[in-house]
Amino acid sequence: MIKTFKHSSIALCLVAALSACNDNNKTVSAETEQANSSSIVAKELTSQDAEKFLTAVEKEIIALNLEGARAAWINANFITDDTDILAALASQKSTESGVRFAMEAAKYDDVKVTDDQRRKLNILKQSLVMPAPQDPEKSAELARIGSELNSMYGKGTYTNKAGEKLSLGDMTATLATSRNYDELLELWEGWRTVSPAMKSAFVRQSELANEGAKGLGYEDLGVMWRSNYDMSSSEFAQELDRLWGQVKPLYEDLHCYVRSELGEEYGEDKVPQDKPIPAHLLGNMWAQSWGNIYDLVAPEDADPGYDVTKQLAKHGYDEIKMVKGAEKFFTSLGFEALPETFWTRSLFTKPKDRDVVCHASAWDLDSKDDIRIKMCIQKTGEDFNVIHHELGHNFYQRAYQNQPVFYQGSANDGFHEAIGDTIALSVTPKYLKEIGLIDSIPDESKDIGLLLKMALDKVAFIPFGLLVDQWRWKVYSGEITPENYNTAWWELREKYQGVTAPIERSADAFDPGAKYHVPGGVPYSRYFLAHIQQFEFHKALCEISGNTDPIHRCSIYNSKEAGNALNTVLEMGASQPWQEAYKVLTGSEQMDATAILDYFAPLHAWLKEKNQGKQCGF
């Protein structure tokens, strides 16, 4: 269920910082003279110069954003060699501009400027995701690789033993529903025949982006990514470890229970009770969320008496009505309805006549009202939740549209995902009854089943959300070399998730590339953060709404008070450090995963009881 948020063009390609540029000790005389010359220039600059620079850059960014976003939209919706080239050219232009902006902004490091100017300058220095080397040929190569990798993923198919050509969507649907061990294994392995061809391009992309990061004063691209959170790179890494430590006991009990149930289903010869779980048995192509195997692990008498997928069909919900229903959630909080262009320009269903990237995403093309979603909607309860999530992005995008372009983004990249998921947490039985999808709210005896299903999606994801970037950081630092990509990937998956490859994997395989965000160059820590933040946000908004139900039963639907509080944070965009935005909603500047423990407290107690006498751990 974890989906990519599609930033504007600049936001996608601008991520790096130059604050460390002055930390390099240079001994070559020519370089020293150049540094001294730069220092002299910096002393001559003024706050007025900074304002002129920022004004000019803002105009250029607005134009680049629109051009880049349109090229990326067309490429994602009409995958051809020509649109690949157009997207690559726009990406190259945007990236080169971003490097230029960052280098110019760095000249003001020692200039006395206003607090607002300093934040804007820092954002310019901290906005590159894939920084290109300052070489036109290498910059063009990096842009071309990014476009090629995205298209290779989008076009990926597997022809099964029966001769059927299957898309990722086809295979994903089967993994969600099939309980045939061999069929699951074939499709799991089949999708991973697509990614090895990406490996050499990924290696080169990493080399070029690392070179770009080093040119901006960073040790490597991973350090650069971790420096984008209003704290030091090392502090950020420690913060993630602290939060994982809070959640880990709940995850371990969930893992123990699920492994035991899968052992009963498939036999302990296939699911050993003292080893990691085979990845293909968890209902998801990447074993990142396990909600699709709920039927195999559900407790007795847990059926809440309804199935959202069936209820959608019963009440005549097509793809558009599903989106309209999610829109109504936001208007009930006091937000304005979506613009007409949203309905005429979005992609809601998979076309039959062309290749598209079906990965659900929310788009903001003009930093104003041209907001869209791109999604091959399936008429399921899961996608009904996903639509609420994606619209959370869109309403966030529109809320900060009046901020300067520098601040048109989330407080940190986890916020955007968290806001979408916070809204989805309110898709409770109480909400479903209020909108007429179900007739009655199940009593609390059904809560364990509902909480287990939620945990299979949310709690199961958390270690995966952590390890993807753990792997990439090690790649970028050189700790993991290309010949060890796959081995290191599975070592991390076993360490954090307790999940293993179902068959022996070749060292030449490129299983990380089977996950969209790796070839797509999308940092993944945002999703880990979002899974922490969403529960804190949900808890805070429920308190503001006056909720008296247990936190897992709360929906903020129809609460204008909660809507006002949410909008206050959304309108801030990136204008303040994320800690300030966090404090507005939660009262604290530090993230705290105990909100997850509170939400799942009844389930955790139940899991501990069920796990008595079992051999847990992996």
Side-chain angles (χ1 to χ4, degrees), residues 491-529:
E491 286 175 352
L492 286 170
R493 297 205 63 180
E494 291 187 16
K495 174 184 176 181
Y496 286 103
Q497 281 188 287
V499 167
T500 189
I503 57 173
E504 185 175 349
R505 303 300 292 156
S506 166
D508 293 331
F510 185 45
D511 294 340
K515 178 60 184 170
Y516 170 81
H517 301 73
V518 174
V522 180
Y524 212 73
S525 295
R526 63 183 62 169
Y527 302 107
F528 174 85
L529 293 176

Side-chain angles (χ1 to χ4, degrees), residues 455-467:
L456 293 170
D457 283 327
K458 300 290 187 178
V459 178
F461 173 82
I462 290 173
F464 185 82
L466 183 65
L467 71 86

Side-chain angles (χ1 to χ4, degrees), residues 411 415 537 569 572-573 576-586:
F415 268 61
F537 293 166
V569 173
M572 292 172 68
Q576 300 293 327
W578 70 262
Q579 293 89 341
E580 293 296 321
Y582 217 76
K583 189 175 182 179
V584 168
L585 203 56
T586 70

